[in-house]
Amino acid sequence: MENIFQPNAEFSKNAHIKSMDEYNALMKKADEDYEGFWKEYADEKIEWLASYDKVLDESDAPFYKWFTKGKLNVSNQCIDRHLAQKSNKVAILFEGDRGDIEKITYAELSKRVNKFANLLKNKFGVKKGDRVILYMPMIPEAAYAMLACARIGAIHSIVFGGFSAGALKDRIEDAKAKLVITADGAYRKGKPYLLKPVVDDALDKKIDCVEAVLVVKRNNEDIHWEEGRDHDYNALIGAESDECPFEPMDSEDPLFLLYTSGSTGKPKGVQHNTAGYILWAQMTMEWVFDVQGDDVYWCTADIGWITGHTYIVYGPLAAGTTTLMFEGVPTYPDAGRAWKMVQDHKITQFYTAPTAIRVLHKMGEDEPSKYDLSSLKVLGTVGEPIDPPAWKWYYEAVGGSQCAIVDTYWQTETGGHMISPLPGATPIKPACATYALPGIMAEVMDADGNAKELGETGLLCITKPWPSMIRNIWGDPERFKSAYFGDAKKDGKPVYFTGDGANVDKDGYITITGRMDDVINVSGHRMGSAEIEAVVTEDDYVAEVAVVGRHHDIKGESIFIYVVLKSEAEKDMKKHINDLLSSEIGNIAKADDIVVVPGLPKTRSGKIMRRILRSIAIGEAITQDTSTLEDPAVVGQIEKAVKEA
Ligand code: WT7
């Protein structure tokens, strides 16, 4: 008998979706009347300032439009409309690295966001449609900045604080941002670290579009100050009024850009728009995390990633819940930090990545038992497939075998969850994302759009547009079409390709098997092999390079680099290349393995056979036909080099 975990019956009674019957009824409704299904939620969840005329406009597919001509504002959705009922409820519960705590109620959040919005408008002339870069630590001001942009219709683009000056510069320039918001620094593992110097470095590389830098003083470090360009948030904010009317935005006005890696070329500016995004962010908060009443919800992601956008800021606040924002790391000062925080704040939903679960498990198998974790109701995971041992520990040791684990499958591009158990309804198979959420039409296909047989692994596709889907790649509509929509059609409409592999079992359960393209998933962070290769190729010592992902027990995957050198070389190529990656992209791009090889396995047409390189990296026997290689002997030489490295 397969392991199946039934939802907790007590929990189900009160859940948003209480049973599989309810789930099936919702799916049936979506199937029979797709637009009617979405209309019902749009009418219920969104405070429309002007009503929309069409639910879904498919006339320019795949440039879909949702709720056309409707008017709304996301900061109203997240703040103002809650004030009558919830002004004294905590909106953001902040815990600093050093244990400092701040509780920001909805009323207080409203004031701070209004002031921030006024500052953006009055001091920096930020207008609707302008792009604003956020290079911020995990402090409440990051959320205020996001909501302030949304309030006045500016488009934010957050760059994760772990990215280097080079990566920051590329993103600023691609978005043509006029303002950069940052902090002097913040605290991590008990020590201050700095962010502002990275912004200085990025702007030193001559960027014409940026007019000003707004600096939040988090730890009052000594930092370089460029008179005329740099502005002190803490000194300026006091003078601004705490009333700033929100801009009525069109349903399809852009809300934010978020750059992510693809299988080719430079990072793509994924564009999310207003109405569809905020609708699905709120719906999935309710369905998947089942937030209720006085729940205190904690997602450990960073706001620099999509998880932080949708499930720390927009989703929780749109749902009117209390969201915990944490500056530090769950393993500092010790392996009990996260569990102590769950106990202290009576966390009800805890959402993290498999990597973090594996680290916490390794550091303290019994650690959770030292704390009272009885407040927990739902545990979530995201970012990469979770392995059964990690799942089991999470379920038993953290959840006390009482909590549903929602293994949420989604992407930067999908805006919100796509495939996930519903905690009060879905019987769970460990380490399986289970079923597509109501309204999401997922299918496993081949590249031509033919459905795969049960049990067969194929490409995971979404066959109908959904409200929170990516709308465009900033400035590159052609790439948007080619990156996500092949030639495959269903009912005459293009099919969205996720880039992930999946299979469906006899019960209809979907298991994600991992990326099918050249994207490497390191600790749940996406890295394109092409992006890393582009940096390494530029190096003077390097003739050729190929980058693959390799299984890693904690990180899921790690980066493995093969380099062919020109005649001369640096003594320590590994350090040399990792330093380069760290300065051009950031520490997250550093490789665990860098091996110098005499050549790469290429076909006669010059294509690098990465499958062979992946096999060699994990020491697996080569099963592919190597006779089509330009030089079959190179395979043995590479194997030898890897063994000796
Ligand atoms: C890629 C998206 C979505 C937020 C975090 C990452 C992988 C995501 C799961 C899961 C297996 C998963 C996929 C996907 N992924 N969630 N539950 N099970 N794989 O966002 O950086 O856009 O990466 O993460 O490969 O395509 P992202």
Side-chain angles (χ1 to χ4, degrees), residues 16 25 57 147 174 184 270 397 411 418 457 489 553 582 606 630:
H16 284 83
D57 177 356
L147 291 158
D174 192 76
D184 52 350
V270 171
Q411 311 178 299
M418 293 276 108
T457 296
K489 294 224 161 43
D553 280 344
S582 154
E630 190 183 40

Side-chain angles (χ1 to χ4, degrees), residues 307 382-385 407-412 500 515 521 526:
T307 310
V382 60
E384 50 178 317
D407 178 354
T408 63
Y409 167 82
W410 60 298
Q411 311 178 299
T412 303
D500 286 296
R515 299 292 305 196
N521 194 329
R526 223 158 113 174

